[in-house]
Amino acid sequence: MKSFLSLLASLALAGAAFAQTPQPPEVAAKSYLLVDLTSNQPLAEREADAPADPASLTKLMTAYIVFNAIKEKRLTLEQTVAVSKRAWEERKGGGSLMFIDTTMQPKVEELLRGMIVQSGNDASVALAEAVGGTLDQFVAMMNRQAQAWGLKNTTFKNVTGVTEAGHKSTARDLAVIAGHIIRDHPDFYTLYSIKDYKYNNIAQPNRNLLLRRDPTVDGMKTGYTEAAGYCLIASAQRDFPNGKRRLLSVVLNTTSMEARANESQKLLNWGFQAFDAIRLFDTSKPMVTVPVWKASAKEAKLGPAEAMYVSVPRGEGGNLKTNLERTDPLVAPLGKGQRVGTVRVTTASGTKVAEVPLVVMEPVEQAGIFGRAWDSLRLWIK
């Protein structure tokens, strides 16, 4: 299966292959990206690969590394963390804080809420030190993960997002990180929907204004520095007759908290209204049954490796065509999940919309010696 980044990079904008291409709204942001996470297709973008200061959107990767550590049982939610002088010194930088100090031993779960809801730089440092031992080692972990995902335009220099030379990312790369949190750590993703958090008798609201304005928005993260402007990644899930759809918007370098919320809302509403997510295939049903040679069974069931959705301009679903390209002849043994071809979805004019591997849905064992010999002869004659 393609990585999330390669899907975003290789798939054309969903409307581009169709005669009636929806025009995105005017967006007052230096760069932006709207992605349908149900189909992994970008719907609209501007300067999505331009390097930018990610500000506190950096903390998405910080959180992902911490989530991995918890999943791998290198850290627990109930574990307490000693607050270092380095974490306490974050209050000197003028950024967002959870307001922990060196006399406290907050739990990992409390620090996660402080980092995600309150965007606390001090909480981010404390968690990074707990996982990586040192900030330098943790930053190296962040960059290795970015490299593993193929994020060629992202380099991390710190765990908080404070402005630093060489610390950069892009709207597309940040969408990949956010998408991985939603997919890989759905239980932790719920933390991004918390509207308020109180710690050390200091209550702070989540700065993602859309959490209070749109009930379908359930995360993700805000960011601001003078260099980055006001930034927001927002994700919304809405119900439709053919199932749930999730969109993710990234807006970078807007002029205010209101602007980043308004531009994100504009993109989300447009994406849900202008596009349909069409479920093309179901992994529980074969697309085709074909003959197999030298096999204990006469036929093999073939289908997509996973359920497949495509985003198309509203009302254009009927103009899609599905083509199967497969290896022939198929010769046993065949393993479940073995790729034997490609499922390609195109418009009526032949423009590719998407493609996925065509795989064997059930294993097919090899025939006995006489069956294999007989089929060898038939293949030779054929």
Side-chain angles (χ1 to χ4, degrees):
M1 180 179 127
K2 287 185 177 181
S3 72
F4 183 49
L5 176 65
S6 63
L7 281 165
L8 289 185
S10 65
L11 288 173
L13 293 182
F18 294 86
Q20 300 297 322
T21 303
Q23 293 301 310
E26 289 294 325
V27 179
K30 187 172 182 179
S31 61
Y32 72 84
L33 177 68
L34 178 67
V35 180
D36 190 327
L37 290 183
T38 305
S39 64
N40 290 336
Q41 286 178 254
L43 304 183
E45 64 181 73
R46 180 173 67 225
E47 301 291 334
D49 296 308
D53 186 327
S56 282
L57 302 183
T58 298
K59 296 184 178 90
L60 290 172
M61 183 63 95
T62 306
Y64 187 88
I65 301 300
V66 176
F67 296 157
N68 279 351
I70 296 170
K71 186 176 181 179
E72 295 164 4
K73 302 188 185 306
R74 293 183 282 117
L75 205 65
T76 69
L77 290 173
E78 293 300 310
Q79 181 176 333
T80 58
V81 175
V83 178
S84 68
K85 183 173 182 290
R86 175 66 183 80
W88 178 84
E89 286 178 342
E90 283 297 318
R91 64 184 59 203
K92 299 179 181 178
S96 301
L97 296 168
M98 180 185 177
F99 295 102
I100 51 178
D101 63 45
T102 55
T103 67
M104 300 174 178
Q105 288 201 329
K107 296 179 180 179
V108 168
E109 184 174 12
E110 293 170 328
L111 289 169
L112 281 174
R113 291 170 184 260
M115 176 176 67
I116 292 169
V117 182
Q118 301 174 333
S119 199
N121 289 351
D122 47 1
S124 302
V125 170
L127 285 167
E129 291 177 331
V131 173
T134 67
L135 291 182
D136 287 344
Q137 289 175 346
F138 189 89
V139 170
M141 295 167 69
M142 295 168 69
N143 285 313
R144 283 196 297 271
Q145 185 63 73
Q147 293 166 9
W149 287 335
L151 307 186
K152 297 179 180 179
N153 297 313
T154 293
T155 302
F156 296 111
K157 296 292 186 178
N158 59 68
V159 305
T160 62
V162 296
T163 301
E164 184 173 346
H167 186 86
K168 63 179 183 176
S169 191
T170 68
R172 197 181 313 277
D173 285 2
L174 290 165
V176 172
I177 300 170
H180 273 289
I181 289 175
I182 294 170
R183 286 182 170 84
D184 301 347
H185 297 291
D187 291 341
F188 289 122
Y189 173 66
T190 60
L191 292 172
Y192 291 91
S193 67
I194 299 173
K195 297 181 177 68
D196 302 274
Y197 183 55
K198 183 177 182 179
Y199 186 80
N200 193 22
N201 291 318
I202 301 171
Q204 297 186 65
N206 193 317
R207 296 167 180 83
N208 181 357
L209 300 181
L210 294 186
L211 291 175
R212 290 176 169 81
R213 298 179 181 179
D214 183 343
T216 69
V217 171
D218 52 15
M220 294 259 315
K221 189 71 187 72
T222 62
Y224 171 76
T225 62
E226 185 175 350
Y230 290 87
C231 309
L232 174 62
I233 297 179
S235 182
Q237 183 170 266
R238 298 183 186 178
D239 292 321
F240 288 84
N242 64 338
K244 295 180 182 295
R245 289 179 61 199
R246 179 176 290 281
L247 301 187
L248 182 83
S249 66
V250 182
V251 295
L252 304 181
N253 206 331
T254 68
T255 58
S256 67
M257 291 179 65
E258 280 291 333
R260 69 187 178 191
N262 292 340
E263 301 310 294
S264 297
Q265 184 76 80
K266 189 188 301 182
L267 280 169
L268 292 170
N269 287 342
W270 174 81
F272 281 121
Q273 293 164 6
F275 290 86
D276 292 324
I278 308 296
R279 184 179 181 122
L280 296 177
F281 315 120
D282 190 329
T283 53
S284 65
K285 298 178 182 179
M287 291 185 67
V288 64
T289 302
V290 299
V292 185
W293 299 84
K294 301 184 181 182
S296 58
K298 293 182 178 180
E299 296 177 322
K301 297 177 180 178
L302 308 182
E306 56 187 6
M308 184 177 180
Y309 292 81
V310 293
S311 295
V312 299
R314 179 148 293 184
E316 293 276 6
N319 295 326
L320 296 175
K321 290 187 175 182
T322 301
N323 301 297
L324 301 184
E325 297 178 1
R326 63 179 178 83
T327 304
D328 194 39
L330 290 180
V331 180
L334 298 172
K336 182 178 180 180
Q338 179 178 333
R339 181 169 184 169
V340 294
T342 300
V343 182
R344 184 170 288 109
V345 182
T346 65
T347 64
S349 63
T351 303
K352 185 179 76 171
V353 176
E355 68 179 35
V356 293
L358 180 68
V359 303
V360 177
M361 300 186 72
E362 297 176 0
V364 180
E365 301 296 333
Q366 207 172 41
I369 186 170
F370 293 109
R372 298 198 304 274
W374 174 244
D375 275 0
S376 294
L377 178 61
R378 293 172 64 205
L379 283 169
W380 180 76
I381 295 172
K382 181 179 178 182

